């Protein structure tokens, strides 16, 4: 027994020694942090992480240009561009994993506004107020855009570089074949469905209507697909007055029913096409330019696929395609609906060189660069000076249309729970589109899940207003 | 029967001998193992313990669960067993394991091993290479090959149409069947190798004498061969069951668990919850449930092995 205990003790000692060794290593790396970061404004190396998905290279080119500019202006400094090659949901996971540790945290990260509050709550991001108060350009930003990256503590955590709106894109040539008007103005959901039905019968072989749906398309399904419907009903996701999430709403079921209708009637792509994680790229770079899709519920940036620098140059797009607002369910309210999101540049809390990172963000957001990105990246401007720029205004035939939609646009509930709620929405959509659940059953599952996410019955309400 | 009876005393005798020795000698002998044991504890037991810890917390990749990790007791497990998505995954995991491992790989592997024993060397080499080829292919390559095979306009449907049978969109209409067949295709080589080894140990004389006694091929297989390799069967079943329970890459690449949740086995559900939906705590709780299922299967097989030995 004695020897056995001795053996045990030796084992414990060995493990202890190893643990010490491991923690000593990590100690070493954490103590290095201040000296590498520091408050000095001398030369520094910064890493900037953004999402690279599909064939587009607008962001890559934009960042490469800014890097060259910055390195010339700050001799000795180095900017490392880290493209995170991943689909939408995978990108968030990857940068969250990176931001968890000081060893892997980038110095600048490109954050979707829908996730920023969740990441602020997680303690991943650094408040930028101290930097912003000395930055005159901040006055140029629209108030709504400034709010897009605000934490619940009232501090600003990101600099937005653009926003977007959503509407229906339609192919006028296919419409002409189906005997539909070139100046299409649907007033209700039924108008949209009936037009799609006409196309299905008159122009066979063409997908009448694309609405993103299901898990592989991630947030695009939740926001661009589902919420474009839901916010056209009398219901919403979140009741700001009661500070509660909405469950059991008729609007939610109606929206799921719309999804069911388009998929079961064959007005949408086949479910398995929609469930291809590459589907978003196919819509932009194949289906629309090759006239295989008549109507697309999609974003303002869509045309950047067709620019000379885009994935599928298509100069005729502005003649072939028209844009019209997505109507509300029965034409009531403002009659049309749009949702806005956008991305921001943020500095992770564990960045080693936040000062240099801020300097680089400033250089990304000079008026000249902001205009360049809004034009090349097909963004809706968030800066007044960019919005007034003649070059921006005439950058595309659709810019004016989508900028006007800002007056009716809705932002998603910018709350830490939103990303989880969004996952439940796409789960419900997928269950309905594949015929696994009825809309009612999927809505009930959603209600239960939301209750679990936000922490109980007293955190949810059945009233939207 | 006789061989297994004589085989038993050997390990038992050895065991008694070791227990009889003074412990001190053992301790000194085991000293050189200490670093290895230490490393195992840190890098193997450590993560497992961390996983157990995480399963009882609200740990997440983003939001509240990332900033302050709290103990939530059995909440994750309660949530899991109350969710239809979870029970659906358990069900699919069992179906997948039953079809692809216990029935598919196991019987096909035994069948191939039996056939190859009797066949010409050329046939044996050809079949062996083909089957093992599927096994040594990287999982992701195999998955893409099989996606192409099962695709709507893939090889399988082309063949079915050629012989006048209706095709089927396998990956969409019957995803769990498609991934099960894929797993059989990929994993049979392992069972085949195990059984080939076991069969080569079966003395020819016993089979010959059974033949002399008038036993036909089927009776010889059921009453002579199978009982003689029953230990190998149990061991093989245990290994392939545990392997199959944790198959991820094959299913992920072929169907991503979809459409809907129709092929979302436990590993895929766990991945989705932990990494797509950022809920690490919940994901690790599911991992523990998976571990428990594996343990139950192992216990069943171990009992089988022991009763065989007794």
């Amino acid at each position: 027994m004695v020897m056995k205990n001795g053996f045990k003790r030796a084992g414990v000692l060995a493990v202890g020694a190893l643990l010490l060794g491991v923690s000593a290593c990590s100690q070493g790396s954490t103590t290095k942090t201040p000296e590498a970061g520091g408050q000095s404004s001398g030369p520094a190396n910064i890493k900037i992480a953004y999402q690279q998905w599909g064939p587009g290279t607008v962001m890559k080119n934009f960042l490469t240009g800014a890097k060259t500019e910055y390195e010339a202006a700050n001799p000795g400094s180095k900017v490392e561009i880290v493209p995170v090659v991943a689909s939408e949901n995978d990108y968030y996971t990857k940068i969250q994993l990176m931001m968890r540790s000081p060893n892997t945290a980038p110095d600048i990260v490109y954050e979707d506004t829908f996730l920023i509050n969740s990441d602020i709550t997680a303690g991943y991001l650094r408040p930028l107020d101290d930097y912003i108060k000395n930055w005159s350009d901040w006055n140029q930003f629209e108030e709504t855009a400034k709010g897009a990256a605000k934490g619940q503590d009232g501090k600003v955590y990101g600099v937005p570089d653009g926003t977007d709106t959503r509407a229906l894109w339609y192919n006028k040539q296919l419409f002409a074949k189906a005997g539909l008007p070139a100046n299409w103005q649907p007033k209700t959901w039924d108008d949209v469905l009936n037009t799609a039905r006409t196309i299905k019968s008159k122009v066979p072989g063409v997908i009448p209507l694309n609405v993103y749906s299901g898990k592989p398309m991630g947030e695009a399904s939740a926001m661009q697909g589902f919420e474009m419907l839901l916010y056209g009903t009398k219901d919403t996701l979140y009741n700001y007055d009661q500070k509660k999430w909405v469950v059991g709403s008729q609007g939610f079921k109606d929206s799921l029913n719309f999804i069911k209708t388009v998929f079961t009637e064959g007005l949408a792509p086949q479910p398995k096409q929609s469930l291809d994680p590459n589907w978003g790229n196919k819509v932009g770079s194949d289906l629309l330019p090759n006239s295989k899709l008549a109507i697309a519920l999609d974003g303002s940036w869509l045309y950047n696929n067709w620019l000379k620098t885009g994935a599928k140059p298509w100069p005729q797009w502005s003649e072939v395609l028209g844009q019209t607002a997505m109507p509300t369910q029965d034409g009531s309210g403002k009659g049309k609906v749009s949702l806005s999101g956008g991305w921001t540049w943020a500095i992770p809390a564990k960045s080693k060189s936040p000062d240099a990172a801020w300097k680089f963000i400033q250089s990304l957001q000079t008026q000249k660069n902001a205009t360049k990105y809004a034009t090349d990246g097909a963004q809706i401007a968030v800066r007044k000076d960019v919005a007034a720029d003649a070059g921006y205004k005439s950058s595309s035939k659709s810019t004016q249309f989508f900028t006007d939609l800002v007056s009716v646009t809705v932002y998603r509930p910018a709350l830490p729970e939103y990303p989880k709620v969004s996952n439940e929405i796409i789960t419900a959509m997928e269950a309905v589109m594949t015929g696994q659940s009825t809309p009612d059953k999927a809505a009930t599952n959603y209600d239960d899940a939301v209750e679990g996410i936000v922490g109980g019955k007293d955190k949810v309400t059945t009233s939207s207003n | 029967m006789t061989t297994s009876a004589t085989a038993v005393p050997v390990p038992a005798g050895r065991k008694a001998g070791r227990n009889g020795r003074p412990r001190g000698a053992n301790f000194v002998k085991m000293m050189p193992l200490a670093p290895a044991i230490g490393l195992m504890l840190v890098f193997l037991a450590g993560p497992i313990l961390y996983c157990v810890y995480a399963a009882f917390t609200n740990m997440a990749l983003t939001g509240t669960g990332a900033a302050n990790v709290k103990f939530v007791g059995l909440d994750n497990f309660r949530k899991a067993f109350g969710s239809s998505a979870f029970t659906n995954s358990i069900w699919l995991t069992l179906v997948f394991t039953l079809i692809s491992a216990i029935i598919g790989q196991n019987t096909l592997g035994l069948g191939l091993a039996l056939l190859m024993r009797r066949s010409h060397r050329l046939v044996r080499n050809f079949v062996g290479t083909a089957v093992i080829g599927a096994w040594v292919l990287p999982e992701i390559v195999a998955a893409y090959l099989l996606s192409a095979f099962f695709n709507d306009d893939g090889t399988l449907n082309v063949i079915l149409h050629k012989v006048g049978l209706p095709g089927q969109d396998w990956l969409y209409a019957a995803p769990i069947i498609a991934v099960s067949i894929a797993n059989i295709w990929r994993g049979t080589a392992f069972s085949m190798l195990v059984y080939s080894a076991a069969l080569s140990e079966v003395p020819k004389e016993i089979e010959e004498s059974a033949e002399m006694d008038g036993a036909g091929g089927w009776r010889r297989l059921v009453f002579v061969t199978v009982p003689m390799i029953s230990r190998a069967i149990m061991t093989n079943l245990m290994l392939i069951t545990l392997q199959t329970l944790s198959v991820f890459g094959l299913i992920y690449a072929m169907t991503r668990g979809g459409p809907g949740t129709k092929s979302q086995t436990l590993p895929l559900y766990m991945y989705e919850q932990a990494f797509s939906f950022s809920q690490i705590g919940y994901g690790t709780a599911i991992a523990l449930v998976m571990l428990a299922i594996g343990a139950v299967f192992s216990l069943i097989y171990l009992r089988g092995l022991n009763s065989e030995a007794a």
Side-chain angles (χ1 to χ4, degrees), chain B residues 90-133:
Chain B
I90 291 205
W91 174 239
L92 284 175
T93 310
L94 295 178
V95 170
F96 179 64
T97 309
L98 185 77
I99 299 181
S100 74
I102 299 175
I103 298 176
Q105 293 184 5
N106 190 45
T107 47
L108 195 61
L110 180 59
L112 281 170
L114 284 167
L115 284 177
M116 281 170 66
R117 210 171 154 220
R118 316 239 144 180
S119 53
H120 189 267
R121 199 156 55 91
L122 274 178
V123 179
R124 199 156 62 211
N125 286 346
F126 177 75
V127 175
T129 315
V131 175
I132 292 172

Side-chain angles (χ1 to χ4, degrees), chain A residues 64-144:
Chain A
T64 312
K67 167 190 154 97
T68 318
E69 214 173 87
Y70 181 85
E71 284 175 348
N74 299 277
S77 294
K78 271 201 100 68
V79 178
E80 190 189 335
I81 302 171
V82 185
V84 177
V85 182
S87 65
E88 193 118 340
N89 276 352
D90 290 344
Y91 172 70
Y92 311 135
T93 308
K94 284 189 178 183
I95 56 169
Q96 280 157 1
L97 286 169
M98 283 168 92
M99 288 191 290
R100 273 163 85 92
S101 156
N103 293 322
T104 49
D107 300 292
I108 303 174
V109 67
Y110 202 40
E111 280 265 343
D112 192 325
T113 43
F114 103 91
L115 211 79
I116 199 158
N117 257 287
S118 187
D119 280 352
I120 293 168
T121 312
Y124 290 148
L125 303 176
R126 170 184 286 264
L128 303 177
D129 296 58
D130 287 345
Y131 293 123
I132 282 173
K133 68 175 186 233
N134 300 318
W135 190 38
S136 55
D137 284 30
W138 191 239
N139 295 328
Q140 290 291 344
F141 285 79
E142 299 279 359
E143 282 309 314
T144 46

Side-chain angles (χ1 to χ4, degrees), chain B residues 20 33 56 72 100 119 124 151 161 172 199 227 243 268 295:
Chain B
L33 282 177
F56 294 92
V72 293
S100 74
S119 53
R124 199 156 62 211
N151 207 333
H161 290 312
Y172 192 73
L199 286 173
Q243 272 168 17
L268 279 108

Side-chain angles (χ1 to χ4, degrees), chain A residues 142 163-166 300 303 338 340 379-382 387-388 392-393 395-396 398-409:
Chain A
E142 299 279 359
T163 187
D164 43 38
T165 50
R166 284 149 179 79
S300 50
Y303 69 86
S338 183
S340 285
Q379 295 288 309
I380 301 299
V382 286
Y392 163 75
K393 278 202 266 190
S395 63
S396 117
S398 60
T399 305
Q400 196 60 50
F401 169 79
F402 281 105
T403 308
D404 288 347
L405 280 179
V406 171
S407 64
V408 295
T409 201

Side-chain angles (χ1 to χ4, degrees), chain A residues 245-319:
Chain A
W245 289 87
V246 178
V247 294
S249 75
Q250 189 56 43
F252 197 95
K253 287 178 203 159
D254 290 350
S255 306
L256 284 179
N257 255 314
F258 186 97
I259 296 292
K260 186 186 165 194
T261 307
V262 293
F263 280 99
T264 49
E265 284 190 25
L267 305 177
Q270 289 172 32
K272 65 164 182 182
Q273 293 176 304
S274 272
L275 292 174
D276 175 355
N278 235 329
W279 187 242
N281 279 329
K282 279 197 189 145
V283 168
S285 58
D286 175 27
L287 300 179
L288 281 171
N290 294 324
S291 291
K292 294 177 188 164
L293 169 65
I295 311 166
L297 181 53
D298 221 306
S300 50
W301 63 86
L302 201 57
Y303 69 86
N304 76 354
N305 285 295
W306 312 316
L307 301 176
K308 256 184 276 170
T309 50
K312 164 86 188 176
W314 182 31
Q316 303 84 3
W317 72 267
S318 53
E319 281 108 63

Side-chain angles (χ1 to χ4, degrees), chain B residues 26-274:
Chain B
N26 263 342
F27 173 63
V28 173
K29 266 196 200 160
M30 285 177 76
M31 268 309 276
L33 282 177
I37 292 172
L39 284 170
M40 286 252 296
L41 283 175
V42 173
F43 293 108
L44 196 74
I48 293 175
L49 286 178
Y50 187 70
C51 172
V52 174
Y53 156 76
F56 294 92
T57 66
N58 67 343
M59 193 180 289
L61 275 182
T62 182
T64 349
N68 36 42
V69 178
K70 275 195 315 232
F71 267 99
V72 293
L74 290 172
D75 275 10
N76 286 328
F77 295 93
R78 240 175 260 138
K79 182 177 159 196
F81 285 100
S83 124
S84 55
F86 174 77
T87 37
N88 170 59
S89 321
I90 291 205
W91 174 239
L92 284 175
T93 310
L94 295 178
V95 170
F96 179 64
T97 309
L98 185 77
I99 299 181
S100 74
I102 299 175
I103 298 176
Q105 293 184 5
N106 190 45
T107 47
L108 195 61
L110 180 59
L112 281 170
L114 284 167
L115 284 177
M116 281 170 66
R117 210 171 154 220
R118 316 239 144 180
S119 53
H120 189 267
R121 199 156 55 91
L122 274 178
V123 179
R124 199 156 62 211
N125 286 346
F126 177 75
V127 175
T129 315
V131 175
I132 292 172
W135 189 43
V136 296
L137 271 187
E139 195 176 32
I140 201 80
V141 178
Y144 278 111
L145 279 176
L146 287 158
S147 293
F149 180 73
F150 284 113
N151 207 333
D152 208 4
D153 32 63
T155 324
L156 179 58
N157 281 347
V158 171
I159 296 172
L160 287 176
H161 290 312
K162 278 260 163 67
V163 296
L165 288 169
Q168 158 89 279
D169 190 351
W170 298 93
L171 291 172
Y172 192 73
I176 195 72
I177 303 293
V179 294
S180 295
I181 296 176
N183 195 41
I184 296 173
W185 180 76
R186 200 176 122 69
T188 298
F190 181 80
S191 300
M192 187 186 83
L193 291 176
V194 170
Y195 289 136
S196 294
L199 286 173
S200 68
E201 301 283 306
V202 175
K204 279 242 157 51
E205 306 82 63
I206 296 180
E207 294 210 314
E208 277 163 11
S209 60
E211 206 175 344
M212 300 280 276
D213 288 344
W218 181 250
R219 289 173 72 92
R220 275 206 312 277
L221 173 69
V222 175
F223 294 107
V224 180
T225 316
V226 167
M228 293 196 70
I229 59 164
S230 61
R231 287 184 71 86
I233 294 179
M234 281 298 158
T235 314
N236 181 55
L237 274 176
M238 177 146 96
L239 290 173
I240 58 175
T241 303
L242 292 180
Q243 272 168 17
T244 304
L245 277 178
S246 58
V247 166
F248 174 82
L250 190 72
I251 304 181
Y252 187 79
M254 284 179 72
T255 65
R256 292 196 167 228
T261 51
K262 284 183 191 157
S263 60
Q264 194 173 49
T265 56
L266 274 177
L268 279 108
Y269 181 62
M270 180 184 79
Y271 176 83
E272 180 189 86
Q273 294 297 319

